[in-house]
Amino acid sequence: MTVPTAPAPAGLTTGALARRLGVSPATVRSWERRYGIGPAHRAPGRHRRWEPDDVAVLEEMCRLTARGVNPAEAARAALAAAAGTAPALPAARNGAEDVNGPASGGNSLPVGTVRPECRGLARAAVRLDAPELARILGRSVDELGVVVAWTEVMVPALRAVGRKWAVEGERYVEVEHLLSWHVAAALRRAADRAEPPAGPAALLAGMPGELHALALEALAAVMAERGLPFRMFGPALPSGALLEAVRRTGPPVVLLWSQLARTADRELVARVVRTAWGPHGVRVQPVVLVAGPGWAGPRRPPGTLRPRDLGGAVDLLADLLLR
């Protein structure tokens, strides 16, 4: 008796493959036509079906183009790698480039003219390529430093995906969540790998109700990179807990982050400014910094300082901590 064999699993259609890669179907067809990257097997009269080996070649091509490699060179390298004869990888292009080139397709994030690292980050985010996100972010922090990695790689990609899902609806929320998680993880690794310095530490916290914390994570990572002591309390610290933390730790400087105007509680800031500790006669109070777009406006809360950007905040914190 002949045992029937199970049918081979159906491969991906071109449309499904394009969604997986984060490019348009037209881009996939263009790559096949120009560079010979197509399904290894195609039944006569049937639509293209992309098997796992075919998908792996295109995923490798996407990774290479995301790193700035010319599409033709990336295609040759990806095909050679699949055949086990991979040559040395071609050099990546340097300088700022537009993510919306021919290889991006209709599913790209329109980030404008950006560093190659940001372009790759945007493409990997749309593909939901978690390993590539981690690689790009880790390398960006290591090679560029936290300030440049944050301002020129992470922030443009985060803003682009925020605009995209605002227009497209829930279709891109998963992209934003994955990218945000990996950005936070990269910043946390940068903050955690530095030896905690001795001395009075700055207190960093988000205002009550403020759930946005990536900018605070970036600030902590830069402070760690520069050897500045800090205590990070994260987002949405309740008002009572904030005041108690100030009294218990006696920080020389407190930075309070607010992304949104509705979380910028001026009265709570005034209470932090008035908080003092130490014996009578030599009681001290913290210098309070308010940071983030929630504090935008012509008047900052009385008795506070307001840095303009991440670099300015770190410079001000360094002056206050080291004086």
Side-chain angles (χ1 to χ4, degrees):
M1 177 179 178
T2 303
V3 178
T5 58
L12 293 175
T13 64
T14 298
L17 175 62
R19 287 192 296 274
R20 174 166 172 168
L21 298 175
V23 300
S24 71
T27 296
V28 175
R29 298 188 191 99
S30 173
W31 285 350
E32 182 181 5
R33 184 176 64 255
R34 293 180 181 181
Y35 310 126
I37 293 187
H41 306 286
R42 186 189 309 170
R46 292 192 172 188
H47 292 295
R48 296 172 179 83
R49 290 285 176 173
W50 301 78
E51 302 298 334
D53 289 346
D54 307 322
V55 174
V57 173
L58 281 175
E59 286 178 335
E60 178 63 15
M61 180 171 176
C62 283
R63 292 190 184 98
L64 291 172
T65 57
R67 299 172 193 179
V69 176
N70 177 278
E73 294 173 334
R76 285 194 292 271
L79 288 168
T85 59
L89 288 180
R93 294 189 298 269
N94 294 320
E97 298 186 48
D98 195 328
V99 75
N100 299 312
S104 301
N107 292 334
S108 67
L109 293 176
V111 295
T113 301
V114 293
R115 299 184 68 96
E117 297 90 347
C118 181
R119 181 166 55 93
L121 193 68
R123 288 178 173 172
V126 174
R127 294 198 310 272
L128 303 181
D129 189 340
E132 186 68 0
L133 285 174
R135 188 204 69 81
I136 294 171
L137 288 165
R139 186 171 179 179
S140 297
V141 169
D142 291 343
E143 296 183 356
L144 304 176
V146 178
V147 173
V148 175
W150 170 252
T151 57
E152 298 186 21
V153 179
M154 301 175 190
V155 168
L158 288 165
R159 287 177 176 167
V161 73
R163 290 192 298 267
K164 191 76 169 179
W165 72 254
V167 172
E168 301 284 348
E170 293 188 359
R171 178 184 173 198
Y172 275 81
V173 172
E174 75 282 3
V175 177
E176 191 266 346
H177 276 239
L178 186 70
L179 177 59
S180 296
W181 188 90
H182 279 279
V183 167
L187 293 171
R188 186 71 58 85
R189 282 193 294 270
D192 288 345
R193 69 187 174 197
E195 283 294 324
L203 187 155
L204 312 178
M207 294 295 287
E210 182 56 71
L211 300 178
H212 298 81
L214 289 180
L216 267 182
E217 299 277 8
L219 177 60
V222 179
M223 292 186 71
E225 187 177 62
R226 292 185 55 173
L228 299 173
F230 65 90
R231 286 188 179 90
M232 164 66 92
F233 288 85
L237 186 64
S239 56
L242 170 59
L243 295 169
E244 183 65 14
V246 173
R247 283 191 291 266
R248 288 181 60 188
T249 64
V253 57
V254 173
L255 183 139
L256 300 174
W257 174 265
S258 182
Q259 177 80 16
L260 305 174
R262 62 178 174 79
T263 65
D265 186 341
R266 298 170 70 90
E267 175 55 33
L268 177 57
V269 169
R271 294 173 66 188
V272 175
V273 170
R274 295 193 300 267
T275 301
W277 57 88
H280 290 291
V282 290
R283 295 176 71 81
V284 294
Q285 295 170 279
V287 177
V288 178
L289 279 58
V290 292
W295 301 107
R299 294 178 56 212
R300 66 175 182 267
T304 67
L305 301 174
R306 184 168 181 265
R308 292 183 175 272
D309 53 25
L310 178 63
V314 177
D315 289 342
L316 187 52
L317 286 163
D319 289 343
L320 294 168
L321 288 167
L322 301 177
R323 68 183 181 183

